[in-house]
Amino acid sequence: MNFCKMNGAGNDFIIIDNRPFGKSESELSKLAAHLCERRMSIGADGLIAIEASQHGGDFRMRFFNSDGSKSEMCGNGARCICRYGYENGLAGEVQHIETDAGAVVGERISKREYRVLMNRPSLIEFDREATIWDTHLGCNRVYKCDYVELGSPGLPHAVLEYKGLRDIMTFAKTEMKTEAGLYSTGERRSGNMIFRPENDERVSHLREIGRAIRNCECFPKGTNVNFYEFTEDGSVFEATFERGVEDFTYACGSGSTSAAIVLALRGKLAGSECAGGECGTGMYKQEMNAVHTARLLMRGGELGVRVELAPEDTDRCAASVERVYLSGPTNMVAVGRITDDELLYNVWQLCNT
């Protein structure tokens, strides 16, 4: 079986073409759990299987997290699969992708940059309270989260502002001068930021908070947890604890989209209005809407989100969101053939029992 390894702003995926194999959901789940295990196999945040279109799209995308659980959709995965589809002759400059959360439309901006018209939110609820046990403090803490489900059935996201997030995840400038040598192992450079090692005590504490919110009973089907903080230049620093990966990932496209939607509805993003009839070109051509844009920075790089709200709509609900676009880089890391002994001798046997 051939595969392609891709990443979108550090969110990495294994892509296989399931059309000639016809592997079932159960088989794909077991395949994902094995192939996505880092060090023991290829390693990735998730597996994407390409299947034949069922509703007139170019093809269908099925997504499985690294633990084998099925997910409704993945924003960065969708951007990567759009590039894969274009470069392998499955789609043209505009890609129509079917997902379990609804149809997604992609567009090639350049060789590496792709933009997708994301699924609209089916549910938005502000200030949902998540009560968790904080092991560091030895007491319960209540976090107010804005809850977003993208698509239908909805991909769940809890979005919350976290003061000091950037200091927790990255080096301060003074620290870089005085203590950089202490953090030389495991650090990650992204743009002009240097990220702390993932086992740093402050990062580990935040991971515990993310894990507790992800499993909080106030989110019946679990949730991705999107922490954010505004930076001095108006961009948004973001970190996501992902359901199914059960850890922080380098980026989360649907999480970045959910955060931008919440911020747009709360009036925290710079906005403009397309005036007079139709405006824009390509995927951006539309009637007059209030347009809000967000630049999101994370461990894997940078993503852009454009949120279009219905004009003069003050309800701040899911129906207020007319369109939302996610854009950013893709990287086709490698193509090859799966020759994993453990897979051949164990996983396939499990799949056939």
Side-chain angles (χ1 to χ4, degrees):
M1 177 182 286
N2 293 329
F3 77 96
C4 178
K5 178 73 181 288
M6 297 188 69
N7 81 69
N11 209 181
D12 61 337
F13 313 100
I14 299 165
I15 299 173
I16 63 169
D17 189 343
N18 192 38
R19 293 176 300 170
F21 300 101
K23 295 296 179 184
S24 68
E25 181 175 315
S26 174
E27 290 173 319
L28 290 171
S29 172
K30 292 171 182 174
L31 184 63
H34 182 81
L35 291 180
C36 292
E37 185 177 1
R38 300 190 189 277
R39 299 182 181 86
M40 296 300 292
S41 192
I42 299 170
D45 292 328
L47 178 137
I48 302 173
I50 292 174
E51 297 188 344
S53 166
Q54 296 180 340
H55 304 288
D58 292 313
F59 53 88
R60 182 184 180 200
M61 161 189 170
R62 299 183 73 185
F63 185 80
F64 295 84
N65 294 303
S66 60
D67 65 356
S69 60
K70 185 180 177 183
S71 185
E72 298 84 353
M73 213 279 284
C74 173
N76 282 324
R79 291 191 309 100
C80 287
I81 207 69
C82 285
R83 178 175 175 182
Y84 181 95
Y86 174 79
E87 296 199 5
N88 286 275
L90 303 179
E93 296 271 348
V94 175
Q95 307 84 32
H96 297 269
I97 315 300
E98 296 173 9
T99 79
D100 289 336
V104 172
V105 180
E107 184 178 20
R108 181 177 186 263
I109 306 304
S110 64
K111 179 176 176 60
R112 295 194 64 205
E113 187 173 1
Y114 278 73
R115 174 170 57 220
V116 291
L117 174 59
M118 296 286 285
N119 307 115
R120 291 175 62 189
S122 55
L123 174 65
I124 296 176
E125 181 182 324
F126 292 95
D127 296 324
R128 183 180 290 194
E129 292 189 348
T131 303
I132 66 167
W133 179 259
D134 190 313
T135 57
H136 280 59
L137 297 178
C139 63
N140 281 328
R141 292 192 65 182
V142 178
Y143 290 89
K144 285 190 175 182
C145 307
D146 296 328
Y147 182 67
V148 179
E149 291 193 4
L150 287 178
S152 181
L155 182 61
H157 291 275
V159 178
L160 66 155
E161 186 173 14
Y162 199 92
K163 297 295 185 182
L165 177 65
R166 185 167 179 176
D167 289 340
I168 291 171
M169 301 296 289
T170 70
F171 293 106
K173 289 182 179 179
T174 54
E175 243 181 332
M176 287 176 6
K177 292 179 181 178
T178 60
E179 300 182 29
L182 299 177
Y183 291 91
S184 59
T185 302
E187 69 183 22
R188 156 78 182 173
R189 293 176 181 267
S190 180
N192 61 356
M193 295 181 292
I194 303 179
F195 282 77
R196 298 183 188 277
E198 296 187 9
N199 62 354
D200 182 279
E201 183 178 356
R202 284 161 286 192
V203 178
S204 297
H205 182 209
L206 189 67
R207 181 180 292 109
E208 288 184 16
I209 295 171
R211 182 179 294 111
I213 295 175
R214 175 260 184 270
N215 291 295
C216 185
E217 60 184 12
C218 68
F219 303 112
K221 61 180 181 180
T223 186
N224 298 289
V225 184
N226 304 101
F227 300 100
Y228 76 87
E229 181 181 42
F230 277 98
T231 66
E232 301 83 357
D233 64 0
S235 58
V236 180
F237 186 84
E238 192 256 346
T240 298
F241 186 94
E242 283 206 41
R243 180 189 66 159
V245 178
E246 306 308 329
D247 203 348
F248 286 115
T249 52
Y250 274 33
C252 177
S254 58
S256 298
T257 299
S258 297
I261 288 172
V262 164
L263 293 174
L265 290 173
R266 284 189 174 277
K268 293 185 176 182
L269 294 180
S272 60
E273 188 167 277
C274 275
E278 290 188 343
C279 64
T281 59
M283 291 175 65
Y284 282 171
K285 190 173 183 180
Q286 84 253 328
E287 296 180 353
M288 183 175 66
N289 277 342
V291 177
H292 302 263
T293 58
R295 176 172 167 254
L296 296 108
L297 311 176
M298 57 215 68
R299 186 180 290 270
E302 180 178 327
L303 293 172
V305 180
R306 170 185 169 115
V307 182
E308 297 176 7
L309 303 180
E312 300 179 3
D313 190 335
T314 59
D315 290 340
R316 293 200 313 165
C317 63
S320 304
V321 182
E322 294 283 336
R323 301 175 189 85
V324 57
Y325 300 89
L326 172 69
S327 61
T330 64
N331 185 11
M332 193 167 281
V333 179
V335 294
R337 184 171 181 83
I338 298 169
T339 59
D340 190 316
D341 290 342
E342 294 292 331
L343 174 68
L344 295 174
Y345 293 116
N346 295 329
V347 177
W348 286 150
Q349 289 182 11
L350 287 173
C351 288
N352 293 320
T353 57

